[in-house]
Amino acid sequence: SSEIARLLDKYNAGICFKENEMDQTVAKILNTTIAQRDVYASNAVNCSKDFTSQLADGFIDHWIKQDVPQLH
């Protein structure tokens, strides 16, 4: 349910697991083929292209305009 899990799912860029699911995690990793890992790697590169410095600047500007307490 994390943002990272949502992005991995949206872009098919990897597998997700919960920290208390070690057996399932190991099974997921061991059952992932080399071809699937290549797909994940390629999709991760494509995903990263959606996160530009302009997007980050817009996010920061939006965050600053909100009533956010300033750090001292």
Side-chain angles (χ1 to χ4, degrees):
S1 64
S2 69
E3 184 66 14
I4 292 173
R6 188 187 69 74
L7 290 171
L8 289 175
D9 185 51
K10 177 180 177 180
Y11 290 95
N12 188 31
I15 58 175
C16 299
F17 55 90
K18 296 178 183 174
E19 68 179 88
N20 61 346
E21 297 178 337
M22 292 309 294
D23 290 340
Q24 296 93 327
T25 300
V26 170
K28 285 180 183 181
I29 292 169
L30 292 176
N31 291 320
T32 302
T33 65
I34 292 172
Q36 185 60 53
R37 283 182 245 154
D38 290 343
V39 169
Y40 289 155
S42 176
N43 289 348
V45 170
N46 291 334
C47 173
S48 72
K49 293 176 184 175
D50 284 348
F51 299 93
T52 64
S53 60
Q54 289 174 329
L55 181 66
D57 290 344
F59 175 80
I60 291 169
D61 287 343
H62 175 75
W63 184 78
I64 289 172
K65 290 177 184 175
Q66 295 179 13
D67 187 19
V68 178
Q70 298 296 316
L71 299 175
H72 299 281

